[in-house]
Amino acid sequence: QVQPVESGGGLVQSGGSLRLACAASGRTFSTYAVGWFRQAPGKEREFVAAISWMREVIRYADSVKGRFTISRDNAKSTVYLQMNSLKPEDTAVYYCAASKVVRTTTEAYEYWGQGTQVTVSS
């Protein structure tokens, strides 16, 4: 099975940038589609971005389109989320999840990481 592990979260000033990484041990992770989701306190988990295992399909939420970029390095079993022009409303716990097919819903993902906190100050 796949066990994603997120890293790269932290505190950043509004307008700044962060790069999150989602890594997993083993070799099967490279064959999975990967999605990023986020959840703020008191709110439902929402879709952020997703990428297929060969990178031919990429999806973004409207709220992050043009600011965030998802990419992957299959040789390193790692998926990245580059976040630019960050806003306070981007503050949330960010989760990485794996699926055999690209999806934008939480229900479609089988394996989830524990999340990494991103806090954007005004």
Side-chain angles (χ1 to χ4, degrees):
Q1 63 176 17
V2 173
Q3 179 59 65
V5 179
E6 303 94 337
S7 63
L11 176 64
V12 65
Q13 185 179 1
S14 180
S17 299
L18 284 174
R19 188 178 73 160
L20 306 184
C22 173
S25 61
R27 302 178 64 185
T28 60
F29 186 62
S30 63
T31 69
Y32 283 77
V34 173
W36 284 97
F37 296 79
R38 66 187 182 186
Q39 187 169 24
K43 303 190 70 175
E44 294 185 349
R45 190 169 299 183
E46 65 176 356
F47 169 76
V48 176
I51 187 169
S52 61
W53 78 282
M54 286 298 294
R55 295 165 287 188
E56 75 274 23
V57 180
I58 297 176
R59 299 283 185 266
Y60 294 101
D62 289 340
S63 60
V64 306
K65 195 173 300 181
R67 300 189 297 121
F68 291 10
T69 302
I70 189 170
S71 62
R72 69 190 303 166
D73 184 344
N74 289 339
K76 296 182 177 180
S77 297
T78 302
V79 174
Y80 303 96
L81 184 68
Q82 178 66 46
M83 305 186 293
N84 299 326
S85 301
L86 283 163
K87 307 173 182 179
E89 49 263 48
D90 294 318
T91 295
V93 176
Y94 283 70
Y95 297 90
C96 175
S99 172
K100 281 295 186 181
V101 182
V102 176
R103 293 287 188 270
T104 60
T105 60
T106 60
E107 293 81 5
Y109 288 81
E110 183 177 5
Y111 304 106
W112 292 81
Q114 295 300 306
T116 185
Q117 177 70 48
V118 172
T119 302
V120 184
S121 62
S122 59

